[in-house]
Amino acid sequence: MKTDRNELIGTLLVLAGGMCAGMTGTLQAFAPEGATPQTFGAARTVAAGIILSVWTLSRSGMGFFRQDWNWKGIVLSALGFAAYQMTFFSSVKFIGVAVGTMIAVGASPVIAGILGRLVFGEHLTKRWYAATALAIAGCPLLALGGGASSTGAVSLAGIALALGASLSYAFEGLGLKLAGKCDPFATVTAVYSLSGIFCLPWLILGDTTWMWRPRGIVVIILLALVCTVCSKFCFTSGLRRISFGKAYTLSLSEPVMAWALATVLLGERLSLSGVLGAALLFGGIILLACENKGGRQEKAEQPPQIG
């Protein structure tokens, strides 16, 4: 069975993006006292938007504004990313890094697969269903085995916020797919700059003194560069090479990384169910990554435009 080179590159890019993003929840745990989920998420978005804008404008100048984007996709993705910040970091405060990430990212393949089918007409193969079933089955086992909140309980509010983050995450990717075949860096810059504007009120109205402490500066730099810029550049580039539903199943590498860091750095215990969950999750990722072009999946290089 021969795997298409273009699709293999897309697979590796999405996996790398997920691993970078998986560091996000752990970095929140290392933020200075006073960092609320809202200001933390807003700082991430605004800092990433500034970094990307400076880099992209210095590289392409006014050509950045002449990109042939679908602005409906840009705005949808920016709203999705902004909403994800507010919901995800709040859920982590309630239910911990591992559980919050598992729910937020683990539920996204189902949503993304449905959206991919409805919006792009993507054909979901039997392999996709099997891989997603394995991944979804592994997520709760890994979450329950990898740690819990400080109270030892999983709150309904935390679960609801994490599910809201999952929905936001799927719509963020949907917007990226609809944005068009422009330069990936320019696309991510447009999305994050606009998302930063949406999140700016939380920085203006919130307490941001924690940001100017040495540890706060380091956390924001890592959060913006590694967890945001590098992560989304990889994800956006990979999304152009593979199907929407497949990309979101592969991005389950993010909760695997989150669980590993939470276990090693935050002391969340690893149990037998956690090992089983990790095995199922990896099994789903490997199964989907080995999919060949013989399947009936829609090519990702030519996404249809809405409007």
Side-chain angles (χ1 to χ4, degrees), residues 37-89:
Q38 291 73 31
T39 58
F40 189 79
R44 173 196 189 185
T45 309
V46 173
I50 292 173
I51 292 171
L52 282 167
S53 296
V54 171
W55 171 258
T56 304
L57 290 175
S58 66
R59 193 175 64 128
S60 59
M62 295 303 295
F64 168 75
F65 298 99
R66 292 191 289 269
Q67 297 284 333
D68 188 23
W69 290 307
N70 179 328
W71 277 99
K72 291 181 180 179
I74 295 294
V75 172
L76 179 62
S77 186
L79 287 171
F81 184 68
Y84 182 85
Q85 310 313 306
M86 303 301 112
T87 51
F88 173 72
F89 290 116

Side-chain angles (χ1 to χ4, degrees), residues 136-262:
I136 297 301
C139 277
L141 289 174
L142 184 54
L144 294 174
S149 65
S150 58
T151 62
V154 177
S155 73
L156 293 178
I159 292 175
L161 286 165
L163 288 173
S166 182
L167 183 64
S168 302
Y169 185 40
F171 273 99
E172 177 193 348
L174 176 62
L176 288 174
K177 187 86 167 180
L178 291 171
K181 296 169 61 179
C182 303
D183 175 63
F185 227 108
T187 301
V188 173
T189 298
V191 169
Y192 283 15
S193 298
L194 185 58
S195 188
I197 294 174
F198 293 153
C199 292
L200 199 55
W202 278 273
L203 286 185
I204 295 174
L205 300 176
D207 181 8
T208 58
T209 55
W210 64 272
M211 292 172 50
W212 311 113
R213 300 172 192 168
R215 190 171 64 177
I217 294 173
V218 171
V219 166
I220 290 175
I221 291 175
L222 290 175
L223 191 67
L225 283 177
V226 179
C227 300
T228 308
V229 175
C230 291
S231 170
K232 295 306 177 183
F233 177 68
C234 289
F235 183 80
T236 303
S237 300
L239 190 60
R240 298 174 189 279
R241 300 170 184 265
I242 60 179
S243 72
F244 188 65
K246 179 176 180 177
Y248 269 81
T249 301
L250 291 171
S251 67
L252 288 170
S253 58
E254 178 178 344
V256 172
M257 174 62 79
W259 159 77
L261 291 176

Side-chain angles (χ1 to χ4, degrees), residues 18-27 88 92 95-103 105-106 138-148 251-282 285:
M19 293 179 72
C20 288
M23 305 176 188
T24 305
T26 301
L27 282 176
F88 173 72
V92 167
I95 57 180
V97 173
V99 176
T101 308
M102 295 304 157
I103 296 175
V105 182
C139 277
L141 289 174
L142 184 54
L144 294 174
S251 67
L252 288 170
S253 58
E254 178 178 344
V256 172
M257 174 62 79
W259 159 77
L261 291 176
T263 300
V264 175
L265 299 179
L266 304 181
E268 297 185 1
R269 292 190 306 165
L270 173 64
S271 69
L272 182 60
S273 64
V275 174
L276 178 59
L280 289 172
L281 197 57
F282 273 119
I285 291 174

